[in-house]
Amino acid sequence: MEFPIDDNANAYQTDYSPDKIYLAAGCPSEDNIPIELLRQSCEAFFKGIKNRPDFLEYAVEQGYNAFIKDLAAFLNRMYFPKSNEKPQRLVEERHLILTPGCSGALSLFLTILRICKDDVVYVEELSFHMAVKMIRERTDNIRKIPFVGGNLDVAWFEKDLKEHKEKVKLMYIIPTFQNPTGITYDEATRKELIRLAHEFDFYIASDEVYSTLCFDPSYQMPTTLALLDDPEVGRVASMGSLAKVLAPGIRLGWMHSSSRLTDLAASSAMYMSGGNPVQWNAGLIHALMKEQYIDEIVNSARLDCKKKSKSLFKALERHMSQYCYIAAFEELAAQPPAGGYFQMLTLREGISAKALAQVSMQKFNLVVNDGSKFGDEGDRLIRLPFANYSCEILEEGAKRLSLAVEYLLANKA
């Protein structure tokens, strides 16, 4: 038998051409997908189920138990890398449920909370547009929390909560290496959001897909939100995935939350009817997790992203510094990202990000995302990913972007 892969297997391939630079996609480098290790893991899986076809029956709702055990150990190694650290709490197996990536975790959380058109949901002023789309498919009552001083405006949020407390049901945030801004909320901010969730009776969907992609070992990572909340009746669901460090097509993620929310998720109709939907996915890569090859894969992704983020930052300094501030907010230091996938630019007054994105594509074969894709306040913002591009392409992309600015300014009416 052969694997009849077609030319349109990759969602981004349809827009490729030899001279076009598609500097928009937040996906990992194909060069870093560990095909040989994946092959070995798949071989171990098929060898293991040769005499256990029952593995392919309906799965337990929480997910493949042995994988969850090794996933908890992996997360604890990632969250607490220093051997002398003594955290107050560790990730426990009973607080995890497997999902089809972070998107699957968010969909599951929206389902068990029964988010509907009458509910109010808060999101960050600039946020991941596809997550906002998922929420908007259930309710149009979306309120946006502004940023102030390069951080979430918690004071504004609390004041607004008091005016909408009867209908507020959920807030969705990306607290670590946020998409698109790249900022990370400190622990005090995280604790304050949890306090407000308990006081005003709402839940927090915390998208933490970039939490394992910290480039600097000395960087003090704030605690994942789920570990700051009550382990039994907490209101946080921290959502994670292997998409950004292994491969998004594997579709394997998790929801980390309190016992009450994990039990509620496992008792959802979809999970009870069909069993956990990623039994097969977890089995195929279990050897990578069990034998800790996943740690090497993560470290490799960190090193590669760190190199590329620095390369992009230097290219932007060379070609774009006269036209922009190289950060999402001018209150933040202009420097390469400490983690994640994105570098944000704040264009100088009078330069429209939307117009620049259009000129870049039409005149210079460069595709970028302007800030309006992520929120109403994004007209001077450009988001640039770096993980999936060579340093040479990042250099050329920065050069073309500067040419597009020059063209835009020269032809401004």
Side-chain angles (χ1 to χ4, degrees), residues 110-350:
L110 294 172
T111 297
I112 65 174
L113 295 182
R114 300 186 179 184
I115 300 296
C116 64
K117 63 180 181 179
D118 294 326
D119 295 323
V120 171
V121 176
Y122 283 87
V123 300
E124 297 142 316
E125 181 179 70
L126 298 164
S127 187
F128 176 42
H129 59 291
M130 293 310 299
V132 176
K133 184 177 187 297
M134 290 175 65
I135 295 167
R136 199 174 293 282
E137 287 174 348
R138 297 170 182 258
T139 177
D140 284 324
N141 292 329
I142 296 177
R143 296 191 61 77
K144 298 186 177 182
I145 309 170
F147 293 100
V148 61
N151 203 0
L152 201 64
D153 193 342
V154 179
W156 180 96
F157 179 41
E158 182 170 11
K159 181 180 178 182
D160 203 66
L161 277 171
K162 292 175 181 177
E163 298 176 9
H164 299 87
K165 59 184 178 182
E166 290 80 10
K167 292 186 176 181
V168 63
K169 193 75 167 281
L170 176 71
M171 80 177 303
Y172 168 80
I173 56 172
I174 310 170
T176 306
F177 307 128
Q178 201 252 10
N179 179 10
T181 67
I183 66 175
T184 294
Y185 301 154
D186 60 28
E187 198 142 325
T189 299
R190 296 168 186 233
K191 289 179 178 179
E192 184 66 3
L193 294 176
I194 292 170
R195 179 190 70 79
L196 292 171
H198 285 270
E199 180 178 341
F200 290 93
D201 194 26
F202 66 89
Y203 295 88
I204 300 175
S206 182
D207 187 338
E208 302 181 29
V209 70
Y210 301 105
S211 63
T212 58
L213 267 178
C214 177
F215 305 154
D216 188 350
S218 65
Y219 184 82
Q220 185 60 46
M221 285 285 291
T223 306
T224 178
L225 266 79
L227 288 181
L228 294 172
D229 201 8
D230 187 291
E232 302 305 325
V233 295
R235 293 178 162 270
V236 171
S238 288
M239 303 173 295
S241 169
L242 297 177
K244 305 302 183 183
V245 294
L246 183 57
I250 290 175
R251 304 312 305 147
L252 185 57
W254 55 88
M255 188 177 93
H256 174 207
S257 55
S258 62
S259 298
R260 179 170 63 90
L261 289 176
T262 303
D263 292 344
L264 191 61
S267 65
S268 67
M270 186 181 77
Y271 274 58
M272 290 190 72
S273 173
N276 190 282
V278 294
Q279 175 90 342
W280 174 263
N281 316 44
L284 287 174
I285 68 161
H286 186 203
L288 295 181
M289 190 69 71
K290 182 177 180 60
E291 298 179 29
Q292 299 186 20
Y293 287 113
I294 190 66
D295 296 43
E296 298 175 16
I297 293 167
V298 169
N299 288 332
S300 176
R302 287 171 172 170
L303 291 172
D304 187 61
C305 285
K306 181 178 182 178
K307 178 184 73 173
K308 290 174 177 177
S309 70
K310 286 186 173 182
S311 178
L312 175 60
F313 185 83
K314 290 177 181 177
L316 292 169
E317 281 189 316
R318 282 191 291 271
H319 301 293
M320 284 291 295
S321 58
Q322 67 270 43
Y323 304 124
C324 71
Y325 185 71
I326 311 176
F329 307 103
E330 294 182 8
E331 298 92 339
L332 301 176
Q335 60 188 16
Y341 262 22
F342 306 107
Q343 176 73 67
M344 203 73 162
L345 306 181
T346 302
L347 298 172
R348 78 183 196 196
E349 292 283 356

Side-chain angles (χ1 to χ4, degrees), residues 61-74:
E61 291 85 352
Q62 187 182 0
Y64 176 27
N65 292 334
F67 183 88
I68 289 177
K69 178 181 178 181
D70 291 323
L71 172 62
F74 163 72

Side-chain angles (χ1 to χ4, degrees), residues 51-65:
N51 299 313
R52 289 295 306 273
D54 59 302
F55 182 88
L56 298 180
E57 293 284 2
Y58 290 105
V60 295
E61 291 85 352
Q62 187 182 0
Y64 176 27
N65 292 334

Side-chain angles (χ1 to χ4, degrees), residues 126 344-357 370-382:
L126 298 164
M344 203 73 162
L345 306 181
T346 302
L347 298 172
R348 78 183 196 196
E349 292 283 356
I351 303 177
S352 164
K354 196 166 189 177
L356 177 58
D370 68 271
S372 66
K373 191 167 189 174
F374 310 102
D376 298 334
E377 303 300 318
D379 190 54
R380 289 174 55 210
L381 300 174
I382 294 286

